[in-house]
Amino acid sequence: MLSVVIPAYNEEQMIRKAADRVSTLLEKEKIEYEILFVDDGSDDRTWQYICYEGEKNEKIKGICLSRNFGKESALFAGLAQAGGDCVVVIDCDLQHPPEKIIEMYRLWENGYEIVEGMKRNRGKESGMHTFAAKCFYRIISQAAHMDLSHASDFKLLDRKAVNVLLNMPEKNAFFRALSSWIGFKTTQVEYDVREREAGETKWSTKSLFRYAITNVTSFTAAPMQIITILGIIMFMVTTGLTITALYQKITGKAQGGFTTVIILQCFTGSVIMISLGIVGYYIAKIYDEIKGRPRYIVSERKNCEEKKQNKFRV
């Protein structure tokens, strides 16, 4: 059976479209399926529409989180509830073309355990957004030693891969990178990002920046290397200034250096504060992890039973 996990946040205008489009495709191909919507604490009528679709079709299921926990948590909630032999994750706005699910499923039947959806283009975006995305994926790709520049959350995972992800205890998990990091027999399917059919994007510049910072720090310690780089720069600057000061002292050309001292103190203070900020952020992440709070809390279910989510066999 194929499980299709669809996280949704304030997507009341897209629930019916997504359910109809995906179910029609899978029934046409005679693929046994279930569609699992995950309402990530929406403020609109998203959950009511999910329940309505579930009443029309028992293969359409849903879970409602008690509040907005974020897309990563919603994805893992869907993976934990999915009962299929393989699982496809797709966005509710249908910017991921549902037709590619069939191609992914056929590749899985041929023995592939992970089928990655790779973007041929990013659709209509501002120049600043595109530049920021490229910088973010360059950092992640270098840290993970794999190319994630065209990666997305749109992918198919075999049950073995799903169980491996669910067994990872970390709370701040970056699904897009982790699903590539775990390995397994992998192939790619290219697609073009489509325009949203209804509603508006829920990603503001602030939320995208916070999303990037959270995922970079949760997946890699690369930002910690900034401290080392700043330390090297500081050492080179102070070495140059020391040599200059000694030369002027020996040659009798030493002059009052009030401006130099002020600049040096400001530079040193900035380096120290940036370093403390980076270290403090990682300490905060460690604090979040050791508290052991759940990634998400499910408040309601539709057409699905509660499953134990402790350990899964790989």
Side-chain angles (χ1 to χ4, degrees), residues 85-105:
D85 301 306
C86 60
V87 181
V88 167
V89 176
I90 185 172
D91 284 352
C92 191
D93 56 17
L94 297 183
Q95 289 187 293
H96 298 154
E99 295 79 13
K100 291 293 181 178
I101 295 176
I102 308 302
E103 185 177 348
M104 290 178 169
Y105 184 78

Side-chain angles (χ1 to χ4, degrees), residues 13-14 17-18 21 93-95 98 194-199:
Q13 298 182 54
M14 289 301 301
K17 291 177 180 290
R21 188 80 58 82
D93 56 17
L94 297 183
Q95 289 187 293
R194 294 178 175 177
E195 291 300 308
R196 172 185 278 272
E197 295 187 16

Side-chain angles (χ1 to χ4, degrees), residues 34-266:
E34 65 174 4
I35 299 174
L36 179 63
F37 286 97
V38 182
D39 179 10
D40 189 20
S42 299
D43 299 323
D44 61 4
R45 295 176 295 172
T46 296
W47 179 242
Q48 287 88 331
Y49 276 94
I50 293 172
C51 292
Y52 176 74
E53 294 300 319
E55 290 174 359
K56 294 196 302 179
N57 184 351
E58 62 179 9
K59 293 182 179 180
I60 297 177
K61 305 177 181 181
I63 56 176
C64 180
L65 305 188
S66 60
R67 65 170 178 83
N68 179 240
F69 285 89
K71 185 179 181 180
E72 304 298 309
S73 296
L75 285 174
F76 277 91
L79 293 178
Q81 187 64 54
D85 301 306
C86 60
V87 181
V88 167
V89 176
I90 185 172
D91 284 352
C92 191
D93 56 17
L94 297 183
Q95 289 187 293
H96 298 154
E99 295 79 13
K100 291 293 181 178
I101 295 176
I102 308 302
E103 185 177 348
M104 290 178 169
Y105 184 78
R106 299 308 179 198
L107 288 168
W108 173 76
E109 288 185 319
N110 289 332
Y112 289 101
E113 295 165 316
I114 296 180
V115 183
E116 299 270 3
M118 306 296 288
K119 300 175 184 176
R120 271 195 294 256
N121 62 68
R122 299 187 58 86
K124 294 182 179 180
E125 289 181 340
S126 65
M128 181 61 69
H129 186 101
T130 301
F131 173 75
K134 287 182 178 179
C135 292
F136 168 67
Y137 284 111
R138 187 176 293 114
I139 294 173
I140 284 291
S141 296
Q142 290 178 353
H145 304 291
M146 61 183 73
D147 184 13
L148 296 173
S149 57
H150 299 287
S152 69
D153 291 329
F154 184 33
K155 59 189 65 186
L156 179 146
L157 303 169
D158 183 79
R159 172 51 55 183
K160 289 191 297 183
V162 171
N163 289 346
V164 168
L165 289 173
L166 293 175
N167 276 327
M168 292 183 177
E170 57 195 88
K171 303 299 183 299
N172 296 302
F174 185 20
F175 172 75
R176 191 173 305 183
L178 281 178
S179 57
S180 299
W181 176 83
I182 59 176
F184 293 104
K185 188 177 181 181
T186 304
T187 189
Q188 292 82 34
V189 169
E190 291 188 337
Y191 70 95
D192 295 318
V193 177
R194 294 178 175 177
E195 291 300 308
R196 172 185 278 272
E197 295 187 16
E200 298 179 353
T201 179
K202 310 306 181 296
W203 293 99
S204 63
T205 302
K206 181 180 178 181
S207 61
L208 284 170
F209 179 77
R210 185 168 57 247
Y211 175 80
I213 294 296
T214 299
N215 288 326
V216 167
T217 54
S218 66
F219 191 72
T220 175
M224 297 287 282
Q225 304 305 316
I226 295 175
I227 299 174
T228 303
I229 295 171
L230 290 174
I232 293 172
I233 294 173
M234 188 64 190
F235 174 77
M236 294 172 64
V237 171
T238 53
T239 299
L241 290 174
T242 300
I243 293 172
T244 301
L246 289 173
Y247 174 77
Q248 291 178 343
K249 184 69 175 178
I250 294 171
T251 58
K253 298 179 181 178
Q255 297 178 355
F258 180 75
T259 302
T260 303
V261 171
I262 293 299
I263 293 174
L264 187 59
Q265 285 183 341
C266 291

